[in-house]
Amino acid sequence: MGSYSNQNQISFDVWLRDIFKDSKNSDSILQMDIEGAEIETLLSISEDYLNNFRIIVIEFHDFSRLFVKDFF
């Protein structure tokens, strides 16, 4: 899973669209640990889908590289 879809991965928005379909559930919990792509993926999720989660738990990797231009 990641910020875009291709042959090897699916974007978070596409994955969430399949889960939530037309329903709005603001009582969901999101737990994310995707080995280094958390920040990029989190920033790519639409606000409409983020509003479905009451609680978000994320294990960030390489957080110290957030301000390195080539990383972010």
Side-chain angles (χ1 to χ4, degrees):
M1 216 167 302
S3 60
Y4 60 91
S5 294
N6 64 22
Q7 289 180 325
N8 299 317
Q9 70 181 21
I10 185 171
S11 74
F12 220 79
D13 273 5
V14 170
W15 182 71
L16 291 171
R17 182 189 66 213
D18 291 344
I19 289 174
F20 289 111
K21 305 255 187 248
D22 293 326
S23 68
K24 294 291 182 185
N25 182 359
S26 61
D27 203 30
S28 297
I29 298 173
L30 170 64
Q31 180 178 343
M32 182 188 309
D33 178 7
I34 49 179
E35 306 304 320
E38 296 85 6
I39 295 169
E40 176 185 346
T41 301
L42 184 61
L43 291 173
S44 74
I45 301 172
S46 71
E47 187 175 337
D48 287 340
Y49 287 124
L50 283 177
N51 287 332
N52 284 289
F53 300 104
R54 183 172 53 96
I55 298 171
I56 298 176
V57 179
I58 302 173
E59 180 180 337
F60 288 99
H61 298 270
D62 298 321
F63 199 75
S64 62
R65 296 177 48 203
L66 180 61
F67 298 105
V68 175
K69 184 178 180 180
D70 291 338
F71 176 73
F72 191 66

